[in-house]
């Protein structure tokens, strides 16, 4: 029998391009969340700055986050651009835990502005966490039925996403999350940027949340940077 899994969605304060300071904010969120899994927004380590240089898993600026995960035993899923082939980086989700840092997932479905700089990933991704199979998504992925279907087909118990949405999209974000969770019959966690970030997002949606398999919002943050929400998945 697997144990319940505590998942948190975080909205760390982000300083554009300042990976070191952002990693420190992520580390504080990990410690405050006291959760097995902490999900962060899209490109959370750089801000939604499409020209930010790609990061490698060995980047020393990520050490504060790696140390926090090692201390707490948490898995952090942080957003960052990572190197790709032929000079085309990827928008990615880094998995940070006591074993180190790896690239867990590369975004498959790119927005129009993103496609000018980034290349798409090649397949959906699932992580095994304490007996739970968690599928990964980044922003637009979550709105694409093909991504939902392909990820669900891998046999997932939860769907975890990092996003960037404007304040005007808050209601849409909530409605979509509730609908997807209920349609797939799984837990859904969405970490959504709060405050300002790049790409013209002067006011992001925040309201990161966790939805149960029946589509109910069981935990939700407010609209300010630094807020965290968590729930026990059982």
């Amino acid at each position: 029998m697997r144990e319940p899994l505590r998942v948190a969605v975080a909205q760390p304060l982000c300083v554009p391009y300042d990976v070191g300071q952002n990693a420190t904010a992520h580390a504080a969120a990990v410690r405050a969340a006291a959760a097995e899994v902490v999900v962060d927004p899209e490109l959370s380590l750089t801000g939604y700055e499409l020209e930010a240089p790609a990061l490698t898993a060995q980047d020393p600026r990520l050490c504060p986050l790696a140390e926090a995960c090692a201390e707490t035993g948490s898995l952090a899923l942080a957003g960052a651009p990572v190197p790709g082939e032929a000079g085309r980086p990827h928008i990615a989700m880094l998995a940070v835990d006591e074993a180190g840092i790896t690239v867990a997932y590369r975004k498959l479905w790119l927005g129009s502005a993103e496609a000018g700089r980034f290349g798409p990933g090649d397949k959906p991704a699932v992580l095994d966490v304490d007996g739970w199979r968690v599928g990964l998504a980044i922003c637009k992925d979550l709105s694409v039925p093909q991504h939902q279907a392909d990820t669900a087909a891998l046999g997932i118990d939860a769907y975890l996403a990092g996003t960037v949405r404007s304040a005007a999209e808050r209601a849409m974000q909530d409605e979509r999350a509730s609908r997807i969770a209920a349609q797939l019959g799984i837990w859904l966690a969405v970490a959504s940027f709060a405050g300002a970030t790049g790409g013209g997002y002067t006011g992001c949606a925040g309201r990161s949340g966790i939805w149960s398999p029946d589509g109910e919002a069981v935990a939700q943050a407010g609209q300010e940077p630094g807020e965290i929400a968590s729930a026990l998945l059982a």
Side-chain angles (χ1 to χ4, degrees):
M1 292 288 292
R2 69 184 180 195
E3 296 295 322
L5 183 74
R6 182 160 293 278
V7 173
V9 284
Q11 300 171 177
L13 179 66
C14 181
V15 178
Y17 297 101
D18 194 335
V19 174
Q21 187 160 332
N22 294 334
T24 298
H26 282 55
V30 165
R31 292 187 173 98
E36 281 85 8
V37 182
V38 181
V39 189
D40 295 299
E42 180 179 21
L43 293 176
S44 58
L45 286 164
T46 59
Y48 191 74
E49 304 288 350
L50 301 187
E51 298 304 317
L55 307 180
T56 68
Q58 295 75 37
D59 194 309
R61 295 173 294 178
L62 301 179
C63 286
L65 177 55
E67 290 166 1
C69 291
E71 289 170 15
T72 60
S74 300
L75 166 66
L77 298 172
V82 300
E85 297 179 356
R88 299 270 289 173
H90 298 283
I91 295 175
M93 190 177 278
L94 299 180
V96 187
D97 62 14
E98 58 190 358
I101 303 174
T102 59
V103 178
Y105 172 66
R106 297 166 177 83
K107 186 175 183 178
L108 282 171
W109 296 87
L110 300 170
S112 56
E114 297 166 355
R117 169 165 168 75
F118 298 98
D122 60 355
K123 59 185 178 181
V126 172
L127 296 178
D128 289 299
V129 183
D130 297 339
W132 289 76
R133 286 179 62 77
V134 297
L136 307 179
I138 300 174
C139 209
K140 185 177 179 179
D141 289 332
L142 197 60
S143 67
V144 177
Q146 187 68 54
H147 191 278
Q148 298 167 25
D150 290 347
T151 306
L154 298 176
I156 61 175
D157 306 299
Y159 203 10
L160 312 182
T163 70
V164 177
R165 294 292 182 188
S166 70
E169 295 176 297
R170 284 188 190 115
M172 177 273 290
Q173 177 174 267
D174 286 0
E175 184 280 329
R176 176 178 289 159
S178 174
R179 174 168 41 83
I180 293 171
Q183 285 177 347
L184 297 180
I186 58 172
W187 290 90
L188 175 64
V190 179
S192 182
F193 246 117
T197 184
Y201 288 96
T202 56
C204 293
R207 297 286 291 162
S208 300
I210 299 170
W211 286 261
S212 68
D214 63 4
E216 178 186 359
V218 297
Q220 201 153 23
Q223 300 172 15
E224 299 301 318
E227 296 193 40
I228 300 168
S230 69
L232 195 64
L233 280 54

